[in-house]
Amino acid sequence: MATRRISSLVSRSLPVLSSGGKQPCRGRGIHRYSTAASLEDPIKPPVSVQYDKLLINGQFVNSASGKTFPTLDPRTGEVITNVAEGDAEDINRAVSAARKAFDEGPWPKMTAYERQKIMLRFADLVEKYNDEIAALETWDNGKPYEQSAQIEVPMFVRIFRYYAGWTDKIHGLTIPADGPHHVQTLHEPIGVAGQIIPWNFPLLMFAWKVAPALACGNTVVLKTAEQTPLSALLVSKLLHEAGLPEGVMNVVSGFGPTAGVALCSHMDVDKLAFTGSTDTGKMVLELAAKSNLKSVTLELGGKSPFIVCEDADVDKAVELAHFALFFNQGQCCCAGSRTYVHENVYDEFIEKAKARALKRSVGDPFKAGMEQGPQIDEKQFEKILKYIRSGTESGATLETGGDRFGTKGYYIQPTVFSNVKDDMLIAQDEIFGPVQTVLKFKDLDEVIRRANNSRYGLAAGVFTQNLDTANTLMRALRAGTVWINCYDTFDAAIPFGGYKMSGIGREKGEYSLKNYLQVKAVVTPLKNPAWL
Amino acid sequence: MSSESNGNGVESSHVKIPQIKFTKLFINGEFVESLSGKTFETIDPRTGEVIAKISEGDKEDIDLAVKAARQAFDHGPWPRLPGSERRKIMLKFADLIDENVEEIAALDTIDGGKLYHFGKIVEIPSAAENFRYYAGAADKIHGATLKMSRELQAYTLLEPIGVVGHIIPWNFPSQMFVMKVGPTLAAGCTMVVKPAEQTPLSALYYAHLAKLAGLPDGVLNVVTGYGRTAGAAISSHMDIDKVSFTGSTEVGRLVMQAAALSNLKPVSLELGGKSPFIVFDDVDVDKIASLALQGTFYNKGEICVAGSRVFVQEGIYDKFLIKLVEKTKAWVVGDPFDPNVHQGPQVDKNQYERILKFIEIGKKEGATLLAGGKLSNRKGYYIEPTIFTDVSDDMTIAKEEIFGPVMSVLKFKSVEEVIKRANATKYGLAAGIMTNDLNIANRVSRSIRAGVIWINCYFAFDKDLPYGGYKMSGFGRDMGLESLNMYLQVKSVATPIYNSPWL
């Protein structure tokens, strides 16, 4: 119920989160979940894999080496299909196609209006195949199908339409110089954009990166995550059906240390955009520095505070804090993973947060009403369980969850820790899983200091009705997004990105255009001008 | 009325003339009769015959339309939809224009005497294009957060201005309609549109498409009728928040006066012009003579930005005149449905006679008639493309907007001189500068007091290019993102902040 009151564009179209919950088995202090029978017998995805090769210069091709890698169903750990594995040579081929399409091809020379029409046609096509695309996304990633079909694919479409509208509105300036000169700036496409996207939101990350790059007239080489290569290949095929010239959009599936490194250090790539972990982001920046000094935008990890103030309506705060952390199996870079709760409402909050976690419906993501599917893969699954053990060992109180869910696939019980201290590992590291850590605070100055005491600065949530408190926190928190009484409110027009080690640059909104444009100042003297 | 009555014999057979489907006022999502029950005739300028009888809106119809628009703005969904939802409906509107290009082009041709093929290939598709542009703008209306000098947090909200009244002219019925309606819709406003009484047909057709596209009732209302009745009612209405007018300078004055005397509604005016088309010695004479011809004769000279004062530098003056005459001979006047025709009839008898009067004055005041100027013996309101030379700045034809296919050619010596003479006008809408000398181009661009400067091109309109006038050519800018400002209020919001780590 509370979900519907959250002023969040995401939650607006969410199925009511509290419905259809699995009844937990209660016993011996910590609540444990029963094993869902359905997990043993996964639902057959209503879609088949059509594209599993590299997309280079408008053609689906095998990798140069002929190698493939398996992409796995996180519900079972079984192979969905084998996908062509791109390496340095394939990146070279893709970059040279993109280079040619940029230097000679029609794309940057087209009128903005024509680019717009192709992007609008593409958006229409994706809308038409909404359910197939959503099913493929869920199969490869494990996120609830309803989330894919009702939120993510429609948001993908919105982002492309939004940037389609920018194509013919990319304005430079005429500039008043200090003397008799006529000065103007030209905003030119930057060239070949290399983009590396993560596995947690394969389609949305595609849209955030590809849409502004195309709107500005660039060409693209995209490396998808090896965990989730499938949806990008399908939508890129549709992009070509919409009339995109060959070579403009190239997709190379493969691994970071091979294909990713090749893209980052390529001498003919003009710009890099990376979303992923902070550790990998550092390497990306380093490779760009060592090669051709290509400009880099990074959208990295986070450990975002969600601050519940003294005046909060606890029921609403619990629901929002729950959503902020558990959405997408906790696999969000901006997850509200440090839940700071004022001491006066702390106990009530813990009680209710625990109850809410217990009510969370976990199961086969293709089943209706599921809020949570499996984690992406075994590695993440093990990593999260390790953090849970570390939480217990460091003295935090495990209120609920704490173990795997079921016996098959990578499902984890929604987990809540109370009595968490700032110096515990679970309060400092990005866990990237369904693990909520709840911390207690006394006053505003203290929580500001503690919330900012992180190497990350991606997002923050503030829950209060007090305007002065909201205004103070909004400016004091060092984070790229502050959500006040809402969370994960994403929109094509709202920029997103990090302070500190959460990254460099902003994606989405008008801000993202800057990432894909060069600014050229053009200066010429004026003889006898009428005015200056 | 049936379409047969429009026929002008053989030439009309180029295209099937559409049946006229919409002849009533469009108010609150419905086509309705005027309250008085009165109608007026819309005339085919090719023949002077009646195409259809159109409902004649008057003050009480405007009241109804404003009431619907007010309701749609104050209580309806339109201003409360996210920009992305408004965009969706506007994109659908654009698709519907594309799907009906031929029918709309034919309506503007029979109603306004405009070239059918040009309409079909350029003008109507560009109307759809314009709609897509503003559809894309609907979710990009940004205010700003502000830098305050104390502990204050402040920002601006750009709010839709409310109910807009649009009064549009007959020379570009389709483009004027989308140029006004597109940004108004994107901004989240509702509106009452009064098309010109000479060309009501396409506006009513667009109203029908708006309904099909899913525009909520009351957002767009179209009231056909006359300026002195329906138009005056819009300008002086107490419940219209903004009026935008494109037309003559005389009427623009009346609109502004009515706004001042009623509720002080903000006004934007796009009025007349007498734009200089300046040709310097260094140009390719052949190429620029063609451009000059287009600059004056395009759309029968019925265009406010017509380059109707052609200043030619003395070094190429004679050569330029020879080229002009040569090219004018190849300029075909005839049925606008004929694909080989460059120029159709003037819009109505009034305009036709007014232009002929100017031609007479030109002769009387001593200008030399280089081409045209004779009466055509064909039926309808056709005028030969006419060129006067030896025109001096003080002649009537060099000062007044003729709004017809009449070019005045003037000779000049120096850059300084031509800047002075080009600016010696009450108007300031556009200017053409023809030169390959960068310094001259830059200098003259800054010196001419006009809203649009075209260098080595003319009529280079674009959806992203704002245009409008200096001086008595009006104020405000249509097109581009600039035009959104005409339909937005700026609200500043400030609130104290405490302990901000930065200011």
Side-chain angles (χ1 to χ4, degrees):
Chain A
M1 286 299 289
T3 326
R4 267 181 281 168
R5 290 195 293 269
I6 298 167
S7 67
S8 154
L9 297 184
V10 168
S11 57
R12 181 183 298 168
S13 44
L14 268 180
V16 178
L17 289 180
S18 53
S19 70
K22 191 159 293 303
Q23 289 306 307
C25 166
R26 290 173 174 272
R28 279 169 294 153
I30 294 169
H31 300 293
R32 295 286 179 197
Y33 289 85
S34 65
T35 301
S38 64
L39 296 187
E40 308 300 327
D41 191 15
I43 294 165
K44 190 179 175 318
V47 66
S48 61
V49 178
Q50 296 174 67
Y51 308 106
D52 55 12
K53 295 185 180 171
L54 313 178
L55 179 58
I56 296 176
N57 207 26
Q59 306 295 320
F60 281 107
V61 294
N62 286 319
S63 61
S65 66
K67 282 207 284 189
T68 62
F69 66 97
T71 184
L72 307 180
D73 181 343
R75 299 176 301 163
T76 58
E78 285 160 14
V79 177
I80 299 172
T81 189
N82 289 301
V83 176
E85 183 184 334
D87 203 334
E89 201 178 328
D90 305 293
I91 291 289
N92 286 342
R93 283 197 290 167
V95 171
S96 107
R99 188 82 258 163
K100 187 156 179 280
F102 184 79
D103 293 345
E104 300 161 29
W107 186 247
K109 297 178 183 66
M110 256 182 206
T111 65
Y113 182 64
E114 287 174 89
R115 284 202 295 275
Q116 179 188 78
K117 286 199 85 171
I118 290 170
M119 291 176 73
L120 288 175
R121 270 202 297 274
F122 172 55
D124 291 345
L125 280 173
V126 173
E127 199 163 58
K128 185 173 158 195
Y129 296 109
N130 184 87
D131 293 357
E132 288 91 327
I133 296 167
L136 195 64
E137 185 82 331
T138 286
W139 194 7
D140 214 12
N141 171 282
K143 64 178 68 207
Y145 172 74
E146 285 164 349
Q147 179 186 324
S148 302
Q150 293 164 26
I151 300 170
E152 297 187 12
V153 181
M155 181 63 94
F156 180 100
V157 170
R158 281 214 287 278
I159 290 167
F160 264 92
R161 289 205 180 114
Y162 175 82
Y163 281 107
W166 271 123
T167 55
D168 52 9
K169 300 172 186 71
I170 294 170
H171 294 162
L173 297 171
T174 55
I175 293 172
D178 193 7
H181 287 93
H182 172 65
V183 185
Q184 54 186 326
T185 52
L186 299 179
H187 289 189
E188 301 183 343
I190 201 165
V192 175
Q195 304 181 325
I196 302 176
I197 60 174
W199 46 260
N200 57 341
F201 292 95
L203 282 169
L204 288 178
M205 292 300 115
F206 181 107
W208 289 23
K209 295 215 165 16
V210 174
L214 294 185
C216 296
N218 298 283
T219 60
V220 174
V221 176
L222 177 80
K223 191 200 89 68
T224 48
E226 66 271 21
Q227 293 87 345
T228 54
L230 299 178
S231 58
L233 294 171
L234 174 56
V235 294
S236 296
K237 170 74 176 145
L238 295 178
L239 197 41
H240 284 84
E241 267 178 37
L244 192 79
E246 57 190 29
V248 176
M249 178 74 214
N250 304 277
V251 184
V252 178
S253 326
F255 293 87
T258 51
V261 165
L263 192 56
C264 295
S265 49
H266 206 289
M267 292 299 286
D268 230 7
V269 170
D270 301 304
K271 195 250 150 19
L272 269 181
F274 170 79
T275 295
S277 73
T278 295
D279 288 344
T280 311
K282 282 185 186 180
M283 285 164 54
V284 169
L285 196 57
E286 195 184 345
L287 292 170
K290 283 182 171 167
S291 55
N292 61 344
L293 288 170
K294 55 180 82 64
S295 69
V296 176
T297 45
L298 300 172
E299 202 266 276
L300 309 174
K303 191 73 184 177
S304 300
F306 183 96
I307 302 172
V308 179
C309 298
E310 191 179 2
D311 69 327
D313 174 329
V314 175
D315 289 326
K316 287 183 193 168
V318 163
E319 185 59 39
L320 193 58
H322 178 84
F323 173 69
L325 185 279
F326 290 100
F327 178 62
N328 206 46
Q329 293 73 246
Q331 299 169 150
C332 297
C333 47
C334 56
S337 53
R338 287 184 293 151
T339 311
Y340 285 98
V341 179
H342 192 272
E343 57 179 3
N344 290 357
V345 290
Y346 188 82
D347 292 341
E348 185 188 354
F349 185 95
I350 293 292
E351 206 47 48
K352 289 178 169 167
K354 182 167 99 178
R356 179 62 186 90
L358 281 163
K359 249 172 63 186
R360 187 168 186 79
S361 53
V362 183
D364 190 318
F366 279 106
K367 199 174 152 196
M370 285 302 110
E371 294 173 284
Q372 184 177 320
Q375 307 306 124
I376 186 74
D377 64 7
E378 194 177 353
K379 198 172 140 203
Q380 287 295 319
F381 175 79
E382 293 296 349
K383 184 181 140 201
I384 295 161
L385 291 177
K386 207 173 93 190
Y387 273 118
I388 292 174
R389 285 196 295 276
S390 140
T392 313
E393 284 158 14
S394 60
T397 310
L398 181 63
E399 294 285 346
T400 182
D403 207 346
R404 77 180 301 162
F405 180 90
T407 54
K408 196 174 175 182
Y410 310 125
Y411 295 87
I412 290 183
Q413 296 171 357
T415 297
V416 178
F417 279 109
S418 62
N419 298 316
V420 179
K421 301 283 176 279
D422 292 0
D423 59 354
M424 292 177 183
L425 215 51
I426 56 167
Q428 292 186 338
D429 284 5
E430 183 175 44
I431 300 175
F432 231 62
V435 182
Q436 186 173 33
T437 61
V438 190
L439 306 96
K440 195 189 286 187
F441 77 93
K442 276 191 179 143
D443 66 61
L444 222 49
D445 287 342
E446 172 208 339
V447 80
I448 289 169
R449 190 172 37 77
R450 291 171 63 195
N452 282 337
N453 186 20
S454 164
R455 63 181 177 280
Y456 296 115
L458 197 51
V462 172
F463 204 83
T464 181
Q465 291 302 318
N466 185 307
L467 185 59
D468 288 339
T469 305
N471 280 340
T472 297
L473 286 173
M474 143 185 124
R475 288 195 170 217
L477 294 170
R478 296 186 56 74
T481 305
V482 177
W483 283 298
I484 301 173
N485 298 329
C486 57
Y487 209 86
D488 286 344
T489 304
F490 286 108
D491 185 285
I494 303 174
F496 183 85
Y499 280 44
K500 298 193 267 184
M501 285 171 71
S502 288
I504 302 172
R506 293 293 178 271
E507 291 186 314
K508 298 197 295 146
E510 185 175 1
Y511 292 88
S512 194
L513 298 173
K514 283 188 199 163
N515 301 332
Y516 298 100
L517 294 168
Q518 278 285 15
V519 177
K520 180 185 282 176
V522 182
V523 186
T524 186
L526 286 171
K527 305 280 186 229
N528 303 316
W531 55 271
L532 278 179
Chain B
M1 298 293 282
S2 74
S3 55
E4 281 85 82
S5 64
N6 318 316
N8 184 24
V10 190
E11 286 163 320
S12 301
S13 65
H14 290 292
V15 173
K16 189 171 171 286
I17 292 170
Q19 204 195 339
I20 307 304
K21 295 173 187 154
F22 308 103
T23 58
K24 295 181 185 171
L25 314 179
F26 186 75
I27 296 177
N28 207 22
E30 304 294 336
F31 284 100
V32 295
E33 305 270 2
S34 61
L35 289 173
S36 67
K38 283 205 282 186
T39 61
F40 65 98
E41 291 170 343
T42 186
I43 308 286
D44 184 340
R46 299 175 304 156
T47 58
E49 285 164 16
V50 176
I51 305 166
K53 286 187 161 35
I54 307 292
S55 287
E56 183 184 332
D58 203 334
K59 185 178 178 308
E60 64 268 24
D61 303 292
I62 293 290
D63 284 342
L64 269 186
V66 172
K67 211 171 143 196
R70 188 84 259 165
Q71 173 74 17
F73 185 78
D74 291 346
H75 306 290
W78 190 246
R80 283 163 273 278
L81 285 179
S84 62
E85 294 294 319
R86 289 203 296 276
R87 174 185 65 203
K88 212 177 194 172
I89 291 170
M90 293 177 71
L91 285 176
K92 175 80 184 153
F93 201 152
D95 289 346
L96 289 169
I97 295 174
D98 275 341
E99 283 166 27
N100 294 282
V101 158
E102 294 189 358
E103 190 168 348
I104 299 169
L107 290 179
D108 278 350
T109 299
I110 55 169
D111 221 11
K114 292 172 67 70
L115 299 180
Y116 170 76
H117 293 273
F118 191 73
K120 184 179 134 186
I121 294 160
V122 180
E123 292 189 347
I124 310 304
S126 91
E129 198 171 314
N130 236 300
F131 244 104
R132 288 199 180 93
Y133 175 86
Y134 287 110
D139 55 4
K140 297 173 184 69
I141 296 169
H142 293 147
T145 55
L146 308 172
K147 204 74 186 164
M148 303 295 281
S149 53
R150 294 182 278 143
E151 286 212 310
L152 289 168
Q153 164 67 21
Y155 52 88
T156 54
L157 295 176
L158 302 191
E159 300 186 341
I161 200 164
V163 176
V164 177
H166 288 302
I167 304 174
I168 61 176
W170 44 259
N171 56 342
F172 288 89
S174 284
Q175 266 124 329
M176 289 295 152
F177 186 89
V178 296
M179 186 189 294
K180 305 282 188 189
V181 173
T184 312
L185 288 177
C189 296
T190 63
M191 74 203 85
V192 178
V193 181
K194 191 199 89 61
E197 67 270 20
Q198 293 87 344
T199 54
L201 297 177
S202 57
L204 293 172
Y205 196 91
Y206 287 125
H208 156 70
L209 295 184
K211 176 118 183 155
L212 289 184
L215 197 67
D217 291 346
V219 174
L220 169 68
N221 304 276
V222 179
V223 178
T224 43
Y226 292 94
R228 60 181 183 278
T229 51
I234 287 178
S235 311
S236 56
H237 207 288
M238 292 300 288
D239 227 8
I240 287 182
D241 301 305
K242 193 238 147 63
V243 64
S244 128
F245 170 79
T246 297
S248 72
T249 296
E250 293 86 337
V251 179
R253 244 186 234 283
L254 294 175
V255 169
M256 193 166 165
Q257 222 172 322
L261 289 173
S262 56
N263 62 345
L264 286 170
K265 58 180 79 61
V267 175
S268 52
L269 302 173
E270 204 265 276
L271 309 175
K274 191 73 187 178
S275 300
F277 183 101
I278 307 170
V279 186
F280 289 92
D281 276 343
D282 68 323
V283 300
D284 176 335
V285 171
D286 186 71
K287 210 170 113 187
I288 299 304
S290 296
L291 199 57
L293 218 66
Q294 283 286 345
T296 306
F297 299 148
Y298 167 62
N299 204 52
K300 320 163 256 170
E302 295 171 343
I303 179 163
C304 46
V305 288
S308 51
R309 286 186 294 153
V310 179
F311 287 95
V312 184
Q313 203 161 14
E314 57 181 1
I316 54 161
Y317 186 81
D318 295 337
K319 215 166 114 193
F320 197 81
L321 292 188
I322 293 167
K323 280 285 175 194
L324 278 180
V325 172
E326 190 186 306
K327 286 172 191 295
T328 305
K329 281 183 187 147
W331 187 266
V332 184
V333 179
D335 190 304
F337 279 108
D338 183 338
N340 300 312
V341 159
H342 297 102
Q343 184 186 317
Q346 307 307 126
V347 73
D348 66 7
K349 193 155 179 265
N350 236 341
Q351 288 294 319
Y352 173 76
E353 285 171 355
R354 188 169 170 270
I355 296 160
L356 293 179
K357 206 176 79 195
F358 273 116
I359 293 174
E360 284 314 304
I361 293 172
K363 288 189 214 163
K364 220 175 281 171
E365 291 185 358
T368 308
L369 189 62
L370 187 69
K374 297 185 298 295
L375 280 181
S376 157
N377 51 8
R378 68 160 58 230
K379 198 175 165 189
Y381 310 127
Y382 295 89
I383 292 182
E384 286 185 336
T386 299
I387 300 175
F388 281 107
T389 61
D390 301 319
V391 179
S392 60
D393 293 359
D394 58 354
M395 288 181 185
T396 309
I397 55 168
K399 292 200 294 201
E400 299 301 321
E401 183 176 42
I402 300 174
F403 228 63
V406 182
M407 181 193 292
S408 299
V409 187
L410 306 98
K411 196 192 282 188
F412 76 94
K413 281 189 175 150
S414 70
V415 178
E416 289 75 14
E417 175 205 338
V418 80
I419 289 173
K420 204 169 136 230
R421 290 174 64 193
N423 278 334
T425 167
K426 60 178 181 280
Y427 296 116
L429 201 50
I433 302 170
M434 307 300 139
T435 180
N436 285 310
D437 185 315
L438 186 57
N439 286 328
I440 292 179
N442 281 337
R443 179 179 172 193
V444 180
S445 318
R446 290 204 175 209
S447 299
I448 300 288
R449 300 191 49 78
V452 191
I453 308 286
W454 285 303
I455 303 173
N456 297 334
C457 58
Y458 210 78
F459 300 137
F461 284 111
D462 192 284
K463 50 215 180 307
D464 202 34
L465 180 109
Y467 94 97
Y470 281 43
K471 300 194 266 183
M472 284 170 69
S473 290
F475 48 85
R477 292 293 178 269
D478 284 312
M479 313 265 273
L481 296 180
E482 284 287 337
S483 77
L484 291 169
N485 297 330
M486 303 199 297
Y487 309 111
L488 295 166
Q489 279 286 16
V490 179
K491 179 185 280 176
S492 297
V493 183
T495 184
I497 41 166
Y498 301 100
N499 304 319
S500 175
W502 55 271
L503 276 179

